[in-house]
């Protein structure tokens, strides 16, 4: 009976419905909460997927590249010789080197060809040389750079099983800068910076077993001299900090050596690969077009771009200025410098040049140019588009700057009285003379400005391209001339190219977004490179504030891209473009105080957009 009573009592309560209503209410609340939580996390997950899917492909490519890159860390010495076909042949002779004499290692002559892989079937004998591996890998295991590289990078990486290396000092700088941005209510900028700053090291850097660093552009798994130099430039100040960064120094020294080897293989080439099927499409052998274009198993693009050589010189000078290390500047590097100096002088008289490329007019020689009185010729622009007139003024400007700096570096590495120093100084002087004799044009309403390209026959092209070096980047490149002492020509040039007179200067319909694009991308597309360099060289608060806002608002997926449509920034080109991320990070780190003062403080005080508070300021030059 007691049991029945309890049952009856429970049953009675159930009939009252009170517990059921409570339980039902709880269930409804739970279901609603679950639905809301689910919707929130679905939205967050979709946002996360959208934000990171572009990185997953790059990560997959990086892992695949790491597995495909061969290990050639053998105990052999690199030897150089000129082969009959005009390319530099490198033979690796088995020999232990007990001590590397700094800057003057012995040169051995040997024309034996080396093939790390079998030559594909059906390749004609005249094209077999395109598959040889001579000079691609550094093969001395006893020189200081190689030993330091392994000690700082490879041995440590293999112990920890981590393919990518981001030195702790780089992470620390990343955290410090991001913290400062957030402390000044610049959270969005901090978020972009946290992805952009380590981007190159996380996604595009490959330490190789031969003691060199291979560095790709991002979604194009090839290595350009220009891109790879620019991608690491924002890290170099870390080397100047107390204690420096031994791992970062080893990576950059390895990059200098990798570029040195590539320059000796083909001084005219712009991009390189370590294996033929670099984009994993199943390519087995070179095609007839590859033969016509001067390509080999390792030379991906043979289209000569002057700025690639200038960027190598820039990296070398910047490396020394920040680290005071001369370890990368050995006898092999000096031979590469000789090739660069010879090529620059050779292309000052392009009419006698043997260089040809099938995309160029005049049977691959390029459009006719007259004597440039020192100007040196370039087949292609930094955008990889062919030049209209052969003398590309921004690239010549950059070369003037870097030749002067090279002379100072050579005085330390070689000798203050060496012929290399005097050749570098004379080349810089003659190129600058040619710039001002042929590259300055008088334009109504603007005055005298620098042309983008000239042929020294009387033709000129007045425009600017987003890719660096550009006319917009003149102050960033630190180009000055005794023939423009007050910088008047440079300032008037800036005003011209940031106006509608430059056919590649684009504005959105509401004038919110404005900047320079490129013929390399669709019309009405602005490049993040141009916005970043404009921001780095802006001397007006209103201009700086607007550019920061544009960079923030157009960073789809919280990273920089190649270009975006001015009226729809979500339409962009190049998912993964490390150079743009590095230049953005460089802008943040070099102008952090200005950004905080102009954008952060004014956000806090509610003065954003108030142009009455504009101030002129000096940019760091």
């Amino acid at each position: 009976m007691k049991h029945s009573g309890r049952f009856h009592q429970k049953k009675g309560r159930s009939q009252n419905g009170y517990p059921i209503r409570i339980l039902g209410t709880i269930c409804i609340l739970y279901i609603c909460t679950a639905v809301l939580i689910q919707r929130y996390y679905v939205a967050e997950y979709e946002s996360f997927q959208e934000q990171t899917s572009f990185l997953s492909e790059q990560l997959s490519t990086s892992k695949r590249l790491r597995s495909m890159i061969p290990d050639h860390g053998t105990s052999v010495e690199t030897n150089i010789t000129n082969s009959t076909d005009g390319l530099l042949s490198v033979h690796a002779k088995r020999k232990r080197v007990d001590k590397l004499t700094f800057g003057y290692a012995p040169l051995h002559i040997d024309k034996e060809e080396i093939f790390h892989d079998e030559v594909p079937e059906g390749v004609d004998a005249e094209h077999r040389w395109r598959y040889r591996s001579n000079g691609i890998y550094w093969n001395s295991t006893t020189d200081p750079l190689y030993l330091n590289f392994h000690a700082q990078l490879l041995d440590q990486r293999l112990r920890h099983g981590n393919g990518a290396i981001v030195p702790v000092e780089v992470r620390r700088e990343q955290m410090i800068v991001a913290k400062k941005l957030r402390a000044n209510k610049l959270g969005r900028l901090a978020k972009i910076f946290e992805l952009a700053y380590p981007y190159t090291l996380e996604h595009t850097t490959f330490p190789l077993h031969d003691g060199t660093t291979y560095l790709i552009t991002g979604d194009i798994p090839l290595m350009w001299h220009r891109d790879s130099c620019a991608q690491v430039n924002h890290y170099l100040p870390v080397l100047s900090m107390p204690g420096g960064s031994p791992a970062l120094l080893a990576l950059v020294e390895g990059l200098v050596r990798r570029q040195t080897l590539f320059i000796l293989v083909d001084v005219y080439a712009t991009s390189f690969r370590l294996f033929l099927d670099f984009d994993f499409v199943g390519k087995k052998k070179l095609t007839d077009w590859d033969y016509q274009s001067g390509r080999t198993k390792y030379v991906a693009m043979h289209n000569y771009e002057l700025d690639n050589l200038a960027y190598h010189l820039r990296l070398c000078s910047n490396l020394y200025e920040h680290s005071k290390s001369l370890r990368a500047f050995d006898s092999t590097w000096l031979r590469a410098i000789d090739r660069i100096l010879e090529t620059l002088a050779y292309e000052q008289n392009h009419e006698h040049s043997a260089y040809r490329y099938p995309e160029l007019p005049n049977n691959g020689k390029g459009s006719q140019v007259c004597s440039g009185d020192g100007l040196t010729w370039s087949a292609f622009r930094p955008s990889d588009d062919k030049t209209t007139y052969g003398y590309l003024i921004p690239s010549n400007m950059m070369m003037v700057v870097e030749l002067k700096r090279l002379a100072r570096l050579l005085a330390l590495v070689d000798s203050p009285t060496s012929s290399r120093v005097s050749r570098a100084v004379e080349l810089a002087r003659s190129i600058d003379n040619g710039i001002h004799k042929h590259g300055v044009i008088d334009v109504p309403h603007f005055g005298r400005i620098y042309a983008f390209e000239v042929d020294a026959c009387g033709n000129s092209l007045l425009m600017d391209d987003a890719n660096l070096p550009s006319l917009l980047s003149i102050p960033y490149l630190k180009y000055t001339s005794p023939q423009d002492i007050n910088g008047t020509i440079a300032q008037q040039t800036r005003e011209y190219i940031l106006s509608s007179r430059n056919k590649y200067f684009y504005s959105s319909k509401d004038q919110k977004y404005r900047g320079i694009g490129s013929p390399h991308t669709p019309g009405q597309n602005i490049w993040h490179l141009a916005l970043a360099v404009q921001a780095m060289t802006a001397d007006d608060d209103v201009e700086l504030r607007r550019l920061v806002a544009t960079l923030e608002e157009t960073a789809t997926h919280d990273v920089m891209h190649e270009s975006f449509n001015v009226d729809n920034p979500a339409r962009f080109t190049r998912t993964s473009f490390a150079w743009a991320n590095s230049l953005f990070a460089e802008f943040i780190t070099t102008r952090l105080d200005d950004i905080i003062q102009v954008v952060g403080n004014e956000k806090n005080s509610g003065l954003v957009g108030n142009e009455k508070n504009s101030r002129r300021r000096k940019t760091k030059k």
Side-chain angles (χ1 to χ4, degrees), residues 142-214:
T142 58
D143 71 279
L145 192 156
Y146 176 91
L147 294 173
N148 182 68
F149 189 95
H150 268 259
Q152 294 295 336
L153 299 173
L154 294 186
D155 296 341
Q156 176 182 344
R157 182 188 66 171
L158 293 175
R159 281 199 303 270
H160 293 285
N162 182 14
I165 296 177
V166 182
V168 63
E169 298 85 359
V170 173
R171 287 292 190 204
R172 185 184 303 124
E173 178 68 5
Q174 175 189 349
M175 293 172 63
I176 290 172
V177 174
K179 185 177 180 180
K180 287 182 179 179
L181 291 171
R182 287 196 169 89
N184 288 275
K185 297 185 179 180
L186 297 170
R188 167 70 171 155
L189 213 57
K191 186 176 182 180
I192 301 170
F193 176 80
E194 285 175 325
L195 290 176
Y197 187 76
Y199 194 95
T200 286
L201 292 173
E202 289 181 340
H203 300 288
T204 71
T205 303
F206 302 86
L208 306 184
H209 283 270
D210 70 340
T212 66
T213 305
Y214 184 73

Side-chain angles (χ1 to χ4, degrees), residues 290-338:
D290 291 326
Y291 296 160
Q292 296 170 29
S293 304
R295 298 173 183 175
T296 70
K297 176 183 176 181
Y298 300 102
V299 173
M301 295 183 71
H302 183 67
N303 50 335
Y304 176 56
E305 297 170 2
L306 173 62
D307 67 281
N308 270 270
L309 301 180
Y311 263 104
H312 175 74
L313 302 183
R314 182 176 189 245
L315 175 63
C316 294
S317 292
N318 285 351
L319 172 60
Y320 172 72
E321 287 183 4
H322 286 288
S323 70
K324 303 305 177 186
S325 172
L326 295 171
R327 191 162 40 203
F329 311 127
D330 56 12
S331 60
T332 304
W333 177 77
L334 286 173
R335 290 195 292 273
I337 293 301
D338 287 340

Side-chain angles (χ1 to χ4, degrees), residues 100-399:
L100 182 71
T101 304
F102 176 75
Y104 297 97
L107 178 66
H108 298 276
I109 305 300
D110 200 309
K111 293 185 178 181
E112 180 183 339
E113 290 185 324
I114 297 173
F115 299 92
H116 286 308
D117 302 300
E118 291 185 3
V119 177
E121 294 184 5
V123 174
D124 295 337
E126 63 178 312
H127 293 300
R128 281 178 56 84
W129 65 269
R130 298 179 188 273
Y131 293 88
R132 66 188 180 191
S133 304
N134 299 61
I136 296 299
Y137 296 100
W138 182 262
N139 291 316
S140 171
T141 60
T142 58
D143 71 279
L145 192 156
Y146 176 91
L147 294 173
N148 182 68
F149 189 95
H150 268 259
Q152 294 295 336
L153 299 173
L154 294 186
D155 296 341
Q156 176 182 344
R157 182 188 66 171
L158 293 175
R159 281 199 303 270
H160 293 285
N162 182 14
I165 296 177
V166 182
V168 63
E169 298 85 359
V170 173
R171 287 292 190 204
R172 185 184 303 124
E173 178 68 5
Q174 175 189 349
M175 293 172 63
I176 290 172
V177 174
K179 185 177 180 180
K180 287 182 179 179
L181 291 171
R182 287 196 169 89
N184 288 275
K185 297 185 179 180
L186 297 170
R188 167 70 171 155
L189 213 57
K191 186 176 182 180
I192 301 170
F193 176 80
E194 285 175 325
L195 290 176
Y197 187 76
Y199 194 95
T200 286
L201 292 173
E202 289 181 340
H203 300 288
T204 71
T205 303
F206 302 86
L208 306 184
H209 283 270
D210 70 340
T212 66
T213 305
Y214 184 73
L215 207 152
I216 65 173
T217 68
D219 50 16
I220 302 176
L222 297 174
M223 175 172 161
W224 268 260
H225 294 317
R226 170 186 54 250
D227 291 57
S228 57
C229 291
Q231 284 169 236
V232 301
N233 196 57
H234 64 298
Y235 299 130
L236 298 183
V238 174
L239 299 176
S240 301
M241 297 176 181
S245 174
L248 177 62
L249 178 59
L251 280 169
V252 179
E253 287 177 332
L255 177 60
V256 169
R257 177 165 283 180
R258 167 87 353 242
Q259 291 185 355
T260 297
L261 294 175
F262 281 151
I263 288 169
L264 287 171
V265 167
D266 187 349
V267 71
Y268 281 99
T270 56
S271 65
F272 298 84
R273 54 199 171 201
L274 293 180
F275 48 91
L276 186 60
D277 190 25
F278 70 95
D279 50 357
F280 310 111
V281 296
K283 187 170 185 175
K284 301 296 183 182
K285 64 180 183 179
L286 298 164
T287 64
D288 288 341
W289 173 254
D290 291 326
Y291 296 160
Q292 296 170 29
S293 304
R295 298 173 183 175
T296 70
K297 176 183 176 181
Y298 300 102
V299 173
M301 295 183 71
H302 183 67
N303 50 335
Y304 176 56
E305 297 170 2
L306 173 62
D307 67 281
N308 270 270
L309 301 180
Y311 263 104
H312 175 74
L313 302 183
R314 182 176 189 245
L315 175 63
C316 294
S317 292
N318 285 351
L319 172 60
Y320 172 72
E321 287 183 4
H322 286 288
S323 70
K324 303 305 177 186
S325 172
L326 295 171
R327 191 162 40 203
F329 311 127
D330 56 12
S331 60
T332 304
W333 177 77
L334 286 173
R335 290 195 292 273
I337 293 301
D338 287 340
R339 292 299 299 271
I340 292 174
L341 296 177
E342 290 165 5
T343 303
L344 296 178
Y346 188 55
E347 292 301 341
Q348 285 181 314
N349 190 4
H350 180 64
E351 284 303 305
H352 295 99
S353 173
Y355 175 83
R356 298 290 185 275
Y357 196 81
E359 291 182 14
L360 300 178
N362 195 16
N363 294 319
K365 191 172 186 177
S367 58
Q368 183 181 359
V369 293
C370 299
S371 172
D373 295 289
L375 289 171
T376 187
W377 180 84
S378 182
F380 288 80
R381 302 168 182 167
S383 63
D384 297 330
D385 297 308
K386 60 187 177 184
T387 54
T388 301
Y389 305 118
Y391 298 126
L392 183 57
I393 298 301
S395 293
N396 275 264
M397 288 175 166
M398 184 178 186
M399 189 57 76

Side-chain angles (χ1 to χ4, degrees), residues 448-450 471 488-497:
R448 300 174 72 225
I449 70 169
Y450 290 114
L471 295 174
T488 303
I489 302 175
Q491 181 57 38
Q492 290 171 171
T493 302
R494 184 182 181 93
E495 293 171 2
Y496 179 91
I497 60 177

